[in-house]
Amino acid sequence: MNAADLGLPVDVPSTALFTDQYELTMLQAALRAGTADRRSVFEVFTRRLPEGRRYGVVAGVGRVLDAVENFRFDADVLGFLREQSIVDEPTLRWLAGYRFSGDIWGYPEGEVYFPGSPILRVEGSFAECVLLETVILSILNHDSAIAAAASRMSGAAGGRRLIEMGARRTHELAAVASARAAYVGGFDSTSDLAAGFRYGIPTVGTSAHAFTLLHDSERDAFQAQVDTLGRGTTLLVDTYDVAEAVRTAVEVAGPELGAVRIDSGDLLLVAHRVRAQLDELGARNTKIVVTSDLDEYAIASLAAAPVDAYGVGTQLVTGSGHPTCSMVYKLVARAQSADLKAPLTAVAKKSLGGKASVGGRKWAARRTDADGVAEAEVLGTGPVPPELADRQLLVELVKGGDVVAREPLEAARARHIAARAGLPLSATQLSRGEPVLPTEYV
């Protein structure tokens, strides 16, 4: 199944130059040395979680599959490489026919991960795998960082609705990816229409302070909005005086007013006052939406407030202080020849300063206790222990170059909710701490 089969209007251009030059120069050298066709295994993992985080969230897998499918060197791209003398003519001829023909396994989108988890395993010839390093890391590092922040905010919200509204705080294309990742991490909707168009995410939005300021009075602005969008709309009530605005909003829309939005001030205090005022005016079903540079800590601080929904922008699209997951893409095994039957040899960089890695083609499983709560992330390179056989985490994503695991975004979102629910309760604590699960190698 491809994106078109899912009814998603996805149009992804060639991703071939979303890469670093050294990937092409390595390719050229390997072609000349006769090692380019050696069967190889690369893995994506992170050595540690961002400081204070208890778990990571896998996001961007669907975008990775699109990127791999569209990694093509067309005439314009090849012309650029030739003009800039990036690689030689034999390498350009090889690139002209490039199609990834290997296999990719990985944690499904929405799953949680921990230090060392083989989030993605890319297998094929060295030449075809090495070219994908930068584009894969670019997508997974960004999207997983946003999804992790979204997940923390979702946990802090305690079931209240979350609106992603950070498009104006980041690059225009990053905004679309951020909205997608936030939806995987637990957000309910986005203000970004491009994200709604491309990924089918529910979109919301009504008016800003400029609309109120445009009119001769707040009443005129509210009346215009209600006349156009109906009584169920959300009116912004903090342009001038909040109490007066709430009174006017109910007079204009009646008790059927959908919601009011508060975008400034002491949100805890103001929310309580507004709720009391709405109830006194008979608008008991009118919701309260709060915005104003929220993060997971601000959301948690409003747990006792009569708030029905949160709108989050800047802190979400910047990963709430951690805009990357520091994932790496490392060669962990390779054959000594191009023979498909040649055995794989584990390889790993030896390094000081915390940059060492563990060689070998790995499997991953999550051990649970008697109550079904996760207690360890177990990794290995040998046979999978029988007791972990049905708890393996990696799934086949690409087989022989063909994508075999596309899914609706809703599936990734539901998977994350289930994965987070299967962690110890301390996973959702916002206080600093170690990963909620240890990583064990067997």
Side-chain angles (χ1 to χ4, degrees), residues 4 11 62 79 126 150 167 169 216 225 240 251 264 292 308 338 349 357:
D11 183 16
F126 175 84
R169 304 300 188 196
D216 295 335
Q225 185 172 327
Y240 304 117
E251 289 175 358
S264 59
S292 187
D308 299 286
K349 173 184 176 181
S357 57

Side-chain angles (χ1 to χ4, degrees), residues 124-331:
S125 70
F126 175 84
E128 63 181 339
C129 294
V130 74
L131 294 182
L132 299 177
E133 175 181 0
T134 299
V135 69
I136 286 176
L137 288 179
S138 174
I139 293 170
L140 292 181
N141 268 313
H142 174 271
D143 289 21
S144 297
I146 306 306
S151 180
R152 284 163 62 85
M153 294 173 188
S154 174
R160 296 172 177 177
R161 298 187 68 79
L162 288 162
I163 306 164
E164 185 281 318
M165 47 196 305
R168 65 191 60 195
R169 304 300 188 196
T170 189
H171 184 280
E172 66 273 17
L173 298 182
V176 181
S178 295
R180 183 186 183 282
Y183 193 65
V184 170
F187 272 58
D188 300 285
S189 57
T190 179
S191 66
D192 191 280
L193 290 177
F197 174 76
R198 177 165 290 188
Y199 298 117
I201 301 170
T203 59
V204 296
T206 50
S207 66
H209 292 103
F211 186 75
T212 301
L213 297 170
L214 168 68
H215 291 80
D216 295 335
S217 70
E218 198 165 45
R219 180 179 295 274
D220 288 346
F222 288 173
Q223 190 66 62
Q225 185 172 327
V226 169
D227 288 347
T228 304
L229 301 179
R231 296 177 185 274
T233 191
T234 299
L235 296 176
L236 181 58
V237 296
D238 72 327
T239 305
Y240 304 117
D241 179 84
V242 173
E244 182 60 31
V246 171
R247 184 178 302 108
T248 302
V250 176
E251 289 175 358
V252 170
E256 299 84 8
L257 174 62
V260 296
R261 179 163 74 96
I262 307 166
D263 188 50
S264 59
D266 183 335
L267 297 179
L268 179 61
L269 175 62
V270 175
H272 277 288
R273 289 178 174 173
V274 168
R275 180 73 272 159
Q277 186 180 10
L278 287 169
D279 291 347
E280 290 172 1
L281 294 171
R284 296 183 177 275
N285 294 322
T286 298
K287 307 297 185 184
I288 296 177
V289 180
V290 297
T291 52
S292 187
D293 207 24
L294 301 176
D295 62 9
E296 60 266 46
Y297 300 101
I299 291 170
S301 73
L302 292 168
V307 172
D308 299 286
Y310 305 93
V312 189
T314 303
Q315 294 302 318
L316 177 62
V317 299
T318 57
S320 195
H322 297 290
T324 181
C325 302
S326 299
M327 293 178 186
V328 294
Y329 184 95
K330 296 297 181 184
L331 181 66

Side-chain angles (χ1 to χ4, degrees), residues 44-57 113-119 141 144-145 148 322 324-328 330 349 351-357 379 433-437 439 441:
V44 175
F45 61 93
T46 185
R47 297 183 175 95
R48 64 191 65 84
L49 297 180
E51 184 180 357
R53 296 290 170 88
R54 304 297 180 91
Y55 61 92
V57 181
Y113 70 88
F114 298 90
S117 296
I119 296 163
N141 268 313
S144 297
H322 297 290
T324 181
C325 302
S326 299
M327 293 178 186
V328 294
K330 296 297 181 184
K349 173 184 176 181
S351 174
L352 300 176
K355 280 198 169 185
S357 57
L379 312 181
E434 296 300 315
V436 72
L437 297 186
T439 301
Y441 291 88

Side-chain angles (χ1 to χ4, degrees), residues 367-436:
R367 191 174 67 238
T368 59
D369 63 18
D371 296 320
V373 178
E375 61 180 13
E377 195 87 338
V378 185
L379 312 181
T381 57
V384 180
E387 65 273 17
L388 295 176
D390 62 347
R391 300 188 182 281
Q392 294 189 71
L393 295 165
L394 279 79
V395 299
E396 194 169 29
L397 302 171
V398 176
K399 182 176 183 179
D402 295 325
V403 174
V404 296
R406 274 205 174 86
E407 61 181 6
L409 199 57
E410 290 288 349
R413 175 183 167 83
R415 181 181 295 114
H416 177 62
I417 293 171
R420 189 176 64 186
L423 297 176
L425 287 175
S426 58
T428 57
Q429 291 179 345
L430 298 182
S431 57
R432 294 187 180 277
E434 296 300 315
V436 72

Side-chain angles (χ1 to χ4, degrees), residues 70-114:
N70 289 279
F71 205 92
R72 304 284 188 268
F73 292 83
D74 58 27
D76 289 340
V77 170
L78 293 170
F80 165 76
L81 297 175
R82 180 177 290 109
E83 291 168 7
Q84 299 299 315
S85 300
I86 305 295
V87 290
D88 60 17
E89 286 298 324
T91 304
L92 290 171
R93 288 195 293 272
W94 190 93
L95 291 173
Y98 179 85
R99 299 290 187 274
F100 180 74
S101 63
D103 302 328
I104 299 178
W105 291 70
Y107 280 39
E109 191 153 18
E111 185 57 84
V112 296
Y113 70 88
F114 298 90

